[in-house]
Amino acid sequence: MTIVKNQPPFSLAVCTLASGSKGNATYISDGETSILVDAGLSGIEIQRRLTSRDLSPEDLDAIIVTHEHSDHVRGVGILSRRYNLPVYINPKTHKACSGLGRLHETRPFECGSTFHFNNLAVHPFAISHDAEDPAGFTIGQNGTTIGIATDLGIATSMVRQHLKPCALLILEANHDPTMLETGPYPWPLKQRIRGRTGHLSNPDSKKLLNELQHDNLQHVILGHLSEVNNTPQKAFDEVSRAINRCGARVTVADQYCSGPVIYLK
Ligand SMILES: [Zn+2]
Ligand SMILES: [Zn+2]
């Protein structure tokens, strides 16, 4: 149960607590049910980032996991135990997570099958990334849907189809291709990042967003930016140019602090 103070009625509230290769976590609430998608920081840091935005870790009801990379799961075990949170995780991802420890409760899901958690309808869909069974999600409540797709090498037609109706998107804008090309990473890592199971570049993200935009798209949060191969300004300048047929706001999620809580009508 979450008490959100002094807010006009909203369908969903979204707050990116962290985004990038050093940790990812997104808070989503409909005012009654509050979840984290990923918990890739230490438990204490996630608590700190929630309270910095007047959100309470005690009000969390569940954690949903996208994939097993440590920047997405680092705090899952500790938060699950500390706050008695069920963890929605698909079986292959769970098997690949060695360091989770005991979980309060495990609730398996399958990519492609919608599940319901209180009033939230969660649809996991497969994404192209170098993990066992990585998932993106749409999360809907009473007609309002948000979409989360970071850590993907390419946006397949299935990904596009799922993200199309969303009022808010958290979309990867990982790297600027020139910065990656001329940057310090070793060749194999550069290849991995720009490969089909790597990460989405700014131009790819722009192309995807240009296709996805619609009149009801309210907000786009660019996420999982590389600190070495991208800058928030470059990501924003490139990707925000995609929006030319609607009034959606574009912002960039931060690695080191929580973003503002965004309330969707
Ligand atoms: Zn990641
Ligand atoms: Zn990953």
Side-chain angles (χ1 to χ4, degrees), residues 173 175-178 200-209 238-239:
H175 57 276
D176 172 79
T178 309
L200 216 58
S201 70
N202 297 343
D204 288 345
S205 188
K206 177 186 161 197
K207 189 162 170 264
L208 174 62
L209 186 57
E238 172 101 33
V239 185

Side-chain angles (χ1 to χ4, degrees), residues 20-21 24 67 69 71-72 129 150-151 199 224:
S21 60
N24 296 273
H67 66 294
H69 292 159
D71 57 317
H72 297 260
H129 187 53
T150 65
D151 298 73
H199 291 279
H224 219 298

Side-chain angles (χ1 to χ4, degrees), residues 170-247:
I170 301 179
L171 209 58
E172 174 158 49
N174 179 260
H175 57 276
D176 172 79
T178 309
M179 284 181 78
L180 178 65
E181 179 68 35
T182 56
Y185 280 7
W187 181 250
L189 183 54
K190 290 182 180 181
Q191 289 294 77
R192 194 217 130 205
I193 290 169
R194 64 185 157 211
R196 289 176 67 82
T197 58
H199 291 279
L200 216 58
S201 70
N202 297 343
D204 288 345
S205 188
K206 177 186 161 197
K207 189 162 170 264
L208 174 62
L209 186 57
N210 184 258
E211 206 177 304
L212 293 175
Q213 65 183 314
H214 56 84
D215 287 344
N216 294 323
L217 180 62
Q218 296 174 38
H219 203 121
V220 181
I221 303 173
L222 304 180
H224 219 298
L225 272 66
S226 167
E227 290 185 73
V228 176
N229 304 309
N230 209 355
T231 67
Q233 193 65 49
K234 267 190 193 295
F236 176 83
D237 288 348
E238 172 101 33
V239 185
S240 65
R241 281 192 290 134
I243 300 287
N244 55 8
R245 300 193 303 276
C246 72

Side-chain angles (χ1 to χ4, degrees), residues 48-95:
R48 201 183 67 75
R49 294 200 190 189
L50 284 166
T51 50
S52 77
R53 292 292 174 180
D54 279 336
L55 303 168
S56 171
E58 282 83 13
D59 293 335
L60 291 173
D61 298 295
I63 303 173
I64 302 179
V65 176
T66 59
H67 66 294
E68 69 273 20
H69 292 159
S70 61
D71 57 317
H72 297 260
V73 299
R74 197 170 288 122
V76 169
I78 181 73
L79 290 172
S80 172
R81 292 187 291 278
R82 185 172 297 158
Y83 298 107
N84 296 330
L85 302 177
V87 176
Y88 288 88
I89 187 166
N90 71 37
K92 284 186 189 162
T93 299
H94 196 186
K95 205 169 163 214

